[in-house]
Amino acid sequence: MKKLPIIEITLVLLGSLLYFFANMQRVAIPGAIFTLLLDDLHTSAQSIASLGASFMYIYAISQLFVGILIARYGGFRVVTLGAVLFFIGSLIFPLANSMPVLYFSRILTGCGSASFYLAMINETRKIVSHKNFGLALSFVLLIGYLGGIVANAPIVICINNLGWRKVFLITAIATTIIALLFIIINIFSKKPEVNKDVKINFSLYKEVLNKKRNLNLYTFACINYGLYYVMQTVIGKKFLEDYCSMSVINSAMILSAMGMLYAFSGSIIAFMSKLSLNRRTIYLRIATLNTLFTFLCISICIIFNIKTPVIPCILFCAIAFWASLSPLLVPLLHDINGEKNSAASVSIMTCGFYIAVGLLGNFTGFCLDKLNFPNITEHSAYLIIFAFCTCIAVLACVNCFKIEESAKTKRMLQYIQHHLDIEKEPEGKHWHDKYEHDLYNNV
C-alpha cells in the first residue's frame, strides 16, 4: 500500500487556510466595510473602490510570475515567500491611518496571496490521480472559498461590536500564526530540485495566447468571474442597502449566502461533471446564460423602479452558485495546453480574473462618484453599472458557446459509444468506473 505524503497533505491544508484568509481579505475590503471606510477616512467612493482594485491588480500581475516561479522552485517554496508578504500586509492594514499606507498594505497582501491558488493546484495535482483531480481540487479550494462567507455577515456582526480595526487585527494575528506554522512544517518537507531549465520569460504566455481556444475560454471565464466578484467584493452590499433599502446586517447576510454558495458549488458542479463522464461545456453554458439573465433582470428592475430586495437577492445567489467554475476550467486548460504550458495557461486565466474585477471595481466607483448618487432619483448610476454588466455578459455568452470539450472527454464519449452496447449494460454498480479506468489506462 502506497504511503500517504502526510507532510505534503498538511502543507496543502495549511495553504488552503492561507487562501481562506486571502479570500476573506479580498471580499471584506472594501465590500463589507465600504460605508465604514468612507466615514472613517473621509474620502471618495472611487478611492475606496480603488482600495479593493489595487489588491486585484497586484494579485493579477503577480499571477504571470507565480506560475513560472512554481514551475522552477515548486509550489511550497513560493507559498513560503507569499505567506510572509501576506501576513505583514495583513498586520499593517488595521494599524494604518492614511490612504497611502492602506494602499501599501493592500499591495503586500495582494502580492503575497497571489501564490496560494496556483500553488494549491500544483501540489494537489501531485498528490491525487488524474481522474480525481477536479474533484479533489474543488474540496481543497472549498476551504479557501469559505473565507468569502466569513467576510460578510460574520465580519459585519463582529465589526458592530469591536470596530473594523480590531476585527482585522485579530484576523491578521490568526493569519500570522498559520503562515509561521506553514513555514516551520515546510522545513521538513521533501522539496523538488530547482528546475533551472525554467526561466522567467514570456514565450510560454505568447504560445498560450496564440491559441484561439484559450482566448474563447479566457474571455468567457474572466467576464463571468469578474461580474460575480465585483458584486461580492465591491458594489453588491452597497446596492442592496442604497437601492433596495436593506439593513446593513441583512445585506451582509445575502453576501455571506453568496459566499457559501460559491464555496460549495464548485464541489457540486465538479461532481455533476464527473457523473456526466467529465462533460464540462454544458455547465459552462448554463453558467453564462444564468449570468446574462441575472444582470438583464436587475437592469429591468431599475428601469421600472422595482425596489423589492427579493429579486436581486435571488439573482445574486444564482450567479454565486454558477461562478465557481475553476474545477472545470483548470482541467480544460490543462488539456488544451499540455503539461508544458499548463501552469502558464492557468496563470493567465487567474490574472484575467482579477484584472476584470479591478476594472469593474474602478468603473463602479467612477459611476457612483461622477453621477453623485444617490441624489439622482432615477438611480442612474446603478442603471449604467448593471446595463454595462449586461452588455459584457453577452460577450461572455458568445465566447462560451465556442468552447469545446476536452480531448480526453471526447475520447471517453467515443469509446463508450463504440464499445458499450446501451441495451446490454454490464451488470453491477462499478461498470462506469471500469470503463473510465479502461479509457485512461488503455485508450
Side-chain angles (χ1 to χ4, degrees), residues 131 274 276-279 406-418 432 435-437 439-440 443:
K131 71 175 184 178
K274 186 173 176 61
S276 57
L277 303 177
N278 283 334
R279 288 183 176 92
S406 71
K408 288 182 179 178
T409 298
K410 287 181 179 179
R411 288 199 298 270
M412 178 184 290
L413 295 174
Q414 290 171 357
Y415 181 79
I416 292 175
Q417 181 178 354
H418 289 92
H432 174 274
Y435 278 91
E436 185 176 352
H437 177 272
L439 173 72
Y440 278 114
V443 173

Side-chain angles (χ1 to χ4, degrees), residues 161-387:
N161 293 303
L162 300 174
W164 70 269
R165 292 186 185 275
K166 286 184 179 179
V167 169
F168 281 99
L169 182 59
I170 292 170
T171 59
I173 293 171
T175 299
T176 302
I177 293 171
I178 298 296
L180 293 177
L181 189 59
F182 180 96
I183 294 168
I184 292 170
I185 293 177
N186 190 39
I187 295 173
F188 302 99
S189 68
K190 184 180 179 181
K191 300 174 183 62
E193 295 291 329
V194 175
N195 189 350
K196 295 182 180 179
D197 294 332
V198 178
K199 301 185 184 299
I200 297 180
N201 66 74
F202 294 95
S203 60
L204 292 180
Y205 296 117
K206 183 178 179 181
E207 189 175 335
V208 169
L209 291 172
N210 281 335
K211 292 185 178 180
K212 187 176 180 181
R213 289 180 66 191
N214 285 329
L215 296 179
N216 290 332
L217 188 148
Y218 289 151
T219 303
F220 153 70
C222 294
I223 292 176
N224 193 75
Y225 183 84
L227 289 173
Y228 156 70
Y229 218 68
V230 80
M231 292 297 112
Q232 174 80 348
T233 64
V234 180
I235 199 65
K237 182 172 179 292
K238 186 169 175 56
F239 171 74
L240 293 175
E241 293 171 10
D242 290 345
Y243 184 79
C244 301
S245 301
M246 290 185 68
S247 67
V248 172
I249 296 296
N250 287 340
S251 60
M253 289 179 66
I254 294 301
L255 266 70
S256 281
M258 289 175 67
M260 185 176 296
L261 286 167
Y262 181 85
F264 287 97
S265 65
S267 300
I268 296 171
I269 294 172
F271 185 67
M272 290 163 59
S273 173
K274 186 173 176 61
L275 287 179
S276 57
L277 303 177
N278 283 334
R279 288 183 176 92
R280 299 183 178 99
T281 57
I282 184 173
Y283 302 106
L284 300 182
R285 290 170 181 176
I286 292 172
T288 193
L289 290 172
N290 173 72
T291 300
L292 176 59
F293 177 77
T294 292
F295 285 95
L296 179 62
C297 285
I298 295 178
S299 298
I300 292 172
C301 286
I302 296 173
I303 290 172
F304 291 99
N305 204 29
I306 301 172
K307 295 186 177 182
T308 173
V310 175
I311 295 175
C313 288
I314 293 174
L315 294 175
F316 278 8
C317 289
I319 59 171
F321 182 88
W322 287 104
S324 185
L325 299 174
S326 289
L328 306 186
L329 296 170
V330 171
L332 273 174
L333 284 174
H334 284 188
D335 178 77
I336 293 170
N337 298 282
E339 184 71 25
K340 177 185 173 184
N341 294 333
S342 60
S345 65
V346 178
S347 294
I348 293 172
M349 182 179 73
T350 311
C351 173
F353 279 171
Y354 295 100
I355 286 179
V357 176
L359 290 173
L360 286 168
N362 285 144
F363 175 75
T364 55
F366 174 83
C367 289
L368 293 179
D369 269 347
K370 297 303 179 183
L371 297 175
N372 198 28
F373 186 84
N375 293 331
I376 298 178
T377 56
E378 294 80 12
H379 306 293
S380 301
Y382 283 126
L383 178 57
I384 290 174
I385 290 169
F386 281 94

